[in-house]
Amino acid sequence: MDKEYVLQVAETAKNQLLATTPMNVVLSWGVEKFIATAFKEMPALKFKVNGRLFKGFVVVALNGSDYYEIYLVNYHEIKCVTDRAFYDQVGEIIDRAIESGTDKAEYEQFCQQQWYKLLIG
């Protein structure tokens, strides 16, 4: 796979992710180092996360149908979260998979507890 193409796709995916996802959400993932890579023969963006629900790597790969595929990768498994995401859905899908989950009330309660711990100690 052409290196320049991989770099271009990864940069575009990163820019789209950061432009469409609130910064406080991205920061809640504990993101480390964005990397351009090839994954399953697709150009991809890979980054390490330390989320509440998942710790490991997130891979955002551009498939041949111009959709993003999102994978969670750690030492135990490779899990495909979706194989059909539009650019403006990627952040929300990642957040649901690694940090907030599907129960909004439960996540809000968790956030309130964390806020309380920060304030009170």
Side-chain angles (χ1 to χ4, degrees):
M1 185 170 299
D2 181 56
K3 182 179 177 180
E4 288 302 316
Y5 178 61
V6 171
L7 290 170
Q8 177 187 354
V9 169
E11 184 68 20
T12 299
K14 180 181 84 169
N15 290 340
Q16 290 171 336
L17 175 65
L18 296 177
T20 61
T21 310
M23 191 52 60
N24 63 323
V25 172
V26 174
L27 292 174
S28 75
W29 303 342
V31 172
E32 291 181 32
K33 198 180 216 180
F34 291 102
I35 303 164
T37 189
F39 184 81
K40 296 189 177 212
E41 300 182 23
M42 296 177 286
L45 172 68
K46 177 179 173 181
F47 52 96
K48 189 173 184 183
V49 295
N50 187 19
R52 181 175 75 104
L53 303 175
F54 176 80
K55 293 166 182 36
F57 290 93
V58 172
V59 177
V60 179
L62 183 64
N63 68 26
S65 299
D66 283 340
Y67 290 107
Y68 285 115
E69 296 184 12
I70 301 170
Y71 293 87
L72 303 181
V73 180
N74 63 24
Y75 296 110
H76 307 291
E77 67 179 325
I78 297 174
K79 178 182 177 186
C80 180
V81 178
T82 185
D83 63 355
R84 192 174 170 139
F86 293 110
Y87 78 93
D88 59 347
Q89 299 171 311
V90 171
E92 182 181 334
I93 291 168
I94 292 170
D95 187 60
R96 196 170 41 247
I98 70 168
E99 180 65 25
S100 65
T102 57
D103 185 338
K104 295 296 180 191
E106 184 271 335
Y107 185 61
E108 183 62 33
Q109 182 180 10
F110 167 79
C111 291
Q112 291 294 331
Q113 290 170 347
Q114 295 306 305
W115 181 250
Y116 182 77
K117 287 178 185 177
L118 282 172
L119 292 177
I120 304 302

